[in-house]
Amino acid sequence: MGCFPIKTVLVTGGAGFIGSCFVRQLIGDGGYRVVNLDKLTYAGDLASLGEALEHPRHEFVRGDVCDAELCARLLAKQRPQAVVHLAAESHVDRSIDSPADFVRTNVQGTYTLLEAVREYWAALGEAERETFRYIQVSTDEVYGSLGSTGQFTESSPYRPNSPYAATKAAADHLVRAYHHTYGLPTIVTNCSNNFGPYQFPEKMIPLMILNALDGRRLPIYGDGNNVRDWLFVEDHCDALRLVCERGKVGTSYNVGGHGERTNIEMVTAICDLVDRFAPGLAHSPCRSLIDFVADRPGHDRRYAIDPKKCATELGWRPQLDLSTRLEQTVRWYIDHREWADRITSGVYERDRLGLVESR
């Protein structure tokens, strides 16, 4: 049995990128039963669960966190000792095009789930209430944009600048309010930009890898000097498990990978890795495909996470450096082209989204 102290965990969004990794980890460790609630929107994929999908300790339920009756029924039937809420609309460009979808899932969905969890938790026995946890998985984008120095800490003010970030911030505030008003044992985590296998190719790293392999242009917003703090998804899920086990109720934890890079630095590194691992491409060197395009409206300039609290209180650190993890990721997408082709077929052709005039 692994270090996770909980027998049954309800994971929302467990067929998504981060959620499926978290489910795979829990099932792989043994001793845990996972109830996986996912709506299976365009970015959800059961294949990303691997062997966990058919495992006897994994139960998949297709459904929407906005469905109050379903949430209540699942909690009553499955009796989880923890709820880890990962279900969300998460792509900034899509939030620019369709903010209503983000309000519905990220705000209304979180509220609906919180209400169901509050009622379920209130009916538990005293000992069960004491050990129950609700984990809200959020983003560093709620903090807004940094200048050239400094890092986000758990005390940084929320200043969201995109519809996506605003809806995640609203959800985080609801979670905080439910702890302080009702006593619900909640914890919020705010992670930096995740990457790794099974990430839907609308996000920068898989998009650039696949475009480089296909000889398509590599669009870089603005001057390419926007900075992100990159975090490998497996490391993030390690942190989530530790938060469930050791995290202090009513607080938050920033999870960052010590991986600050400009976008142009990341794209050129990806180009060099594709040239190295897929030699003989007609369009090599892949750097020749780089194309600077109009910037994203309201594009945050820099993110950087200070993960000191995770390190000191939970003993968490990334297992490997960014360069090694990026190599592993590029190799995975080269070796799993059929997965990327299947998940995007007829749904997303790697075209740019979120094209509106900045005000």
Side-chain angles (χ1 to χ4, degrees):
M1 183 178 293
C3 65
F4 201 97
I6 300 164
K7 295 292 185 182
T8 299
V9 185
L10 171 61
V11 179
T12 71
F17 169 49
I18 300 173
S20 63
C21 180
F22 187 59
V23 171
R24 293 194 308 268
Q25 283 194 5
L26 291 184
I27 294 299
D29 276 354
Y32 316 117
R33 179 169 168 269
V34 177
V35 181
N36 181 351
L37 175 63
D38 197 293
K39 189 178 178 181
L40 292 183
T41 60
Y42 73 95
D45 182 52
L46 292 177
S48 63
L49 291 161
E51 295 180 358
L53 178 61
E54 302 297 334
H55 198 282
R57 286 185 281 102
H58 174 262
E59 181 171 345
F60 177 75
V61 179
R62 185 169 186 173
D64 189 344
V65 290
C66 292
D67 186 337
E69 183 179 340
L70 173 61
C71 291
R73 187 169 67 248
L74 270 181
L75 290 163
K77 178 182 177 182
Q78 304 293 350
R79 311 291 296 175
Q81 286 82 47
V83 172
V84 181
H85 184 34
L86 284 142
E89 295 282 351
S90 66
H91 189 42
V92 173
D93 286 358
R94 287 184 185 269
S95 80
I96 294 170
D97 288 342
S98 303
D101 295 337
F102 286 69
V103 172
R104 181 185 183 277
T105 298
N106 299 355
V107 183
Q108 182 67 30
T110 299
Y111 160 74
T112 302
L113 182 64
L114 281 169
E115 276 291 281
V117 169
R118 178 167 73 96
E119 183 174 344
Y120 165 75
W121 173 77
L124 294 174
E126 183 177 352
E128 292 174 301
R129 287 200 306 273
E130 185 67 24
T131 57
F132 181 85
R133 296 292 183 269
Y134 174 101
I135 311 299
Q136 173 79 7
V137 182
S138 188
T139 172
D140 58 357
E141 297 194 35
V142 298
Y143 297 126
S145 187
L146 283 167
S148 59
T149 61
Q151 294 178 308
F152 296 131
T153 70
E154 288 78 4
S155 61
S156 295
Y158 274 29
R159 292 174 177 169
N161 290 321
S162 71
Y164 162 62
T167 59
K168 291 297 288 185
D172 294 357
H173 288 317
L174 278 172
V175 172
R176 174 183 172 85
Y178 269 62
H179 170 70
H180 285 277
T181 303
Y182 304 113
L184 191 67
T186 66
I187 303 173
V188 176
T189 65
N190 299 91
C191 67
S192 56
N193 285 55
N194 278 224
F195 72 101
Y198 295 109
Q199 188 171 30
F200 191 80
E202 66 187 358
K203 298 301 178 72
M204 190 185 86
I205 287 179
L207 175 66
M208 296 298 167
I209 296 170
L210 296 172
N211 278 10
L213 289 170
D214 291 342
R216 296 176 60 167
R217 68 180 188 141
L218 308 179
I220 299 180
Y221 294 171
D223 62 7
N225 288 315
N226 297 74
V227 175
R228 296 296 179 263
D229 186 353
W230 294 97
L231 172 66
F232 191 63
V233 65
E234 294 278 356
D235 290 323
H236 179 202
C237 291
D238 286 340
L240 292 180
R241 292 167 56 212
L242 289 171
V243 167
C244 289
E245 178 192 358
R246 306 175 193 170
K248 183 179 178 182
V249 166
T251 63
S252 63
Y253 291 87
N254 280 352
V255 188
H258 297 293
E260 279 190 70
R261 298 289 189 280
T262 65
N263 287 345
I264 187 62
E265 286 174 334
M266 288 298 287
V267 174
T268 53
I270 289 167
C271 287
D272 294 345
L273 290 169
V274 170
D275 288 336
R276 175 179 159 196
F277 296 142
L281 295 173
H283 47 273
S284 292
C286 290
R287 291 190 184 201
S288 66
L289 301 171
I290 291 174
D291 182 18
F292 292 91
V293 300
D295 207 352
R296 166 192 287 163
H299 197 182
D300 288 337
R301 190 63 172 174
R302 175 173 170 261
Y303 301 147
I305 282 280
D306 180 357
K308 187 181 303 180
K309 184 177 178 182
C310 261
T312 56
E313 291 192 13
L314 308 178
W316 174 86
R317 288 174 180 80
Q319 295 300 305
L320 294 171
D321 62 87
L322 175 60
S323 296
T324 302
R325 292 303 201 185
L326 188 59
E327 284 192 16
Q328 293 174 345
T329 301
V330 171
R331 282 186 178 274
W332 188 91
Y333 281 95
I334 291 173
D335 293 340
H336 293 82
R337 287 300 308 273
E338 75 287 347
W339 177 85
D341 291 343
R342 179 184 57 78
I343 197 172
T344 58
S345 178
V347 175
Y348 173 64
E349 301 298 331
R350 291 184 247 156
D351 296 322
R352 183 173 180 184
L353 305 170
L355 282 171
V356 298
E357 291 186 5
S358 181
R359 289 180 172 85

